[in-house]
Amino acid sequence: MRQDLSEKIQLSADVGPEFAGQRLDQVAAELFSTYSRSRLQTWIKSGELTVDGAAGKVKQRLTGNEVLTLDAELEQEVDDAPEPMELPIVYEDDALLVINKPTGLVVHPAAGHAAGTLLNGLLHHAPCLANMPRAGIVHRLDKDTTGLMVVAKTLEAHASLVDQLQDKSLYREYEAIVVGVMTGGGKVDAPIGRHPTDRKRQAVITTGKRAVTHYRLQERFRGHTRVKVLLETGRTHQIRVHMAHKRYPLVGDPAYGGRPKFPAGATEALRQAIQSFPRQALHARKLGLIHPVSGEYQEFECELPDDMKALIAEMRADLKSDEEEI
């Protein structure tokens, strides 16, 4: 039986003269900033958000001396089933939740993954998330990418985090291991959209959305490079697509990496490590944000997962072996 998780909202606000001539939905977004404009527009249309006690219209112009009243019910937005799941929680308070996502965990239910997703686990951990858009998930990681994700537990936090994503103030730093030896860092500014012939993949195409990735060299090996990657935008598969576009695909990437490549004379241990690496070598290492309630900047960090540590160790050993032979 479905649990009723609806929440009653009753608020009012005076419209000051500074709002004279502005649209109702614009003013409502200013006065009730906890809620998104699209949600407020829905409440205006349903009559749950009124002007001086009367139903209003989204585009009606206000004079600057009205009273807006919000009497609405925050209904359950997510119908997916809660599932008990061990969540590696890095930080949690009343407003947000930061987790270190393991490899193999799908974020949202989709075709082929109707259950067992992060969203299902979040609903079990915090039932209030059923009232949040996408259970509070404001950004996602690919199934086999590990690392930090932030989840909003309130509408105020959700609006704040979405704004930070849009104005690029949410700091996201990744670590990756790529094929090829870089001579230095750089920037990729290339639009990304759906691949023209393979709808499961993305590609750099002229009709795509703007995508910007910055990368910095951290450690060079004989045939690979460990890099730090910073996202300026957040397109699907962005790092994987951009690194492949620069001819430095991620090690183990099944969609964009091609066949495994080894440096000449690679140790057998390194060859096996690369061949058996089960996923794209990508980890969301740092996450920085302005806390939605305190307004203070917070930064979280989680170390590399064991599989990437082991791969780096074999690359270091291969490099040392080659130097000793010389």
Side-chain angles (χ1 to χ4, degrees):
M1 186 171 69
R2 175 172 161 173
Q3 183 181 2
D4 183 9
L5 296 172
S6 59
E7 177 185 334
K8 194 72 174 174
I9 304 166
Q10 292 180 315
L11 299 169
S12 65
D14 295 327
V15 179
E18 67 273 20
F19 294 113
Q22 294 189 32
R23 287 171 33 157
L24 172 55
D25 62 337
Q26 294 173 325
V27 176
E30 290 287 333
L31 298 180
F32 303 121
S33 58
T34 297
Y35 309 105
S36 67
R37 185 181 296 188
S38 61
R39 184 184 293 271
L40 291 166
Q41 288 173 341
T42 299
W43 284 333
I44 292 170
K45 294 173 183 177
S46 67
E48 294 172 285
L49 197 165
T50 58
V51 182
D52 292 332
K57 294 184 178 181
V58 169
K59 296 182 180 181
Q60 82 176 70
R61 303 287 173 173
L62 301 183
T63 61
N65 61 356
E66 299 91 344
V67 176
L68 301 189
T69 302
L70 179 59
D71 188 354
E73 199 168 83
L74 190 60
E75 297 180 349
Q76 186 168 335
E77 293 213 11
V78 180
D79 290 326
D80 299 277
E83 295 179 33
M85 184 181 298
E86 185 175 341
L87 296 176
I89 297 172
V90 175
Y91 173 85
E92 183 175 17
D93 60 23
D94 291 339
L96 53 83
L97 174 70
V98 178
I99 69 159
N100 180 9
K101 190 188 87 65
T103 184
L105 181 60
V106 175
V107 172
H108 294 115
H113 297 284
T117 71
L118 173 61
L119 184 144
N120 298 110
L122 288 170
L123 291 174
H124 182 270
H125 175 76
C128 64
L129 293 175
N131 291 340
M132 300 292 298
R134 297 195 174 194
I137 298 170
V138 295
H139 68 120
R140 71 182 184 90
L141 297 176
D142 294 334
K143 173 187 173 184
D144 291 323
T145 297
T146 57
L148 296 172
M149 286 182 59
V150 62
V151 177
K153 294 176 67 177
T154 68
L155 284 173
E156 179 183 18
H158 187 272
S160 173
L161 293 172
V162 168
D163 286 345
Q164 291 180 55
L165 275 168
Q166 292 176 343
D167 66 18
K168 302 178 179 62
S169 60
L170 191 78
Y171 181 79
R172 290 171 290 170
E173 178 184 309
Y174 293 73
E175 274 204 36
I177 305 170
V178 302
V179 178
V181 182
M182 291 184 177
T183 56
K187 170 184 174 182
V188 187
D189 187 344
I192 291 176
R194 184 83 65 181
H195 192 284
T197 59
D198 185 350
R199 296 193 60 79
K200 292 183 178 180
R201 299 172 63 205
Q202 303 292 306
V204 170
I205 55 174
T206 56
T207 56
K209 294 181 179 179
R210 185 168 186 257
V212 181
T213 303
H214 302 266
Y215 59 95
R216 299 289 180 267
L217 189 154
Q218 284 192 293
E219 192 172 1
R220 278 193 299 233
F221 309 107
R222 289 204 305 125
H224 301 83
T225 309
R226 177 182 175 188
V227 293
K228 176 171 72 175
V229 186
L230 303 179
L231 284 182
E232 190 173 316
T233 56
R235 308 303 175 201
T236 300
H237 297 176
Q238 179 172 317
I239 294 174
R240 300 164 64 187
V241 172
H242 271 174
M243 290 296 96
H245 179 67
K246 293 292 289 184
R247 301 188 186 281
Y248 293 109
L250 270 60
V251 171
D253 193 332
Y256 307 100
R259 298 177 62 182
K261 294 182 180 179
F262 317 100
T267 64
E268 184 59 29
L270 176 60
R271 294 179 68 90
Q272 290 184 3
I274 293 173
Q275 285 181 320
S276 63
F277 199 78
R279 64 183 185 93
Q280 62 266 10
L282 181 62
H283 176 69
R285 179 152 194 166
K286 286 186 181 180
L287 178 69
L289 54 88
I290 304 297
H291 193 279
V293 178
S294 70
E296 297 179 356
Y297 180 75
Q298 289 184 292
E299 191 167 276
F300 308 93
E301 182 173 4
C302 59
E303 64 180 18
L304 287 174
D306 291 342
D307 60 354
M308 287 183 67
K309 285 182 181 178
L311 183 60
I312 289 170
E314 291 299 343
M315 289 180 174
R316 287 173 178 164
D318 173 80
L319 178 61
K320 184 178 180 181
S321 173
D322 184 64
E323 290 172 346
E324 288 175 349
E325 289 182 8
I326 295 173

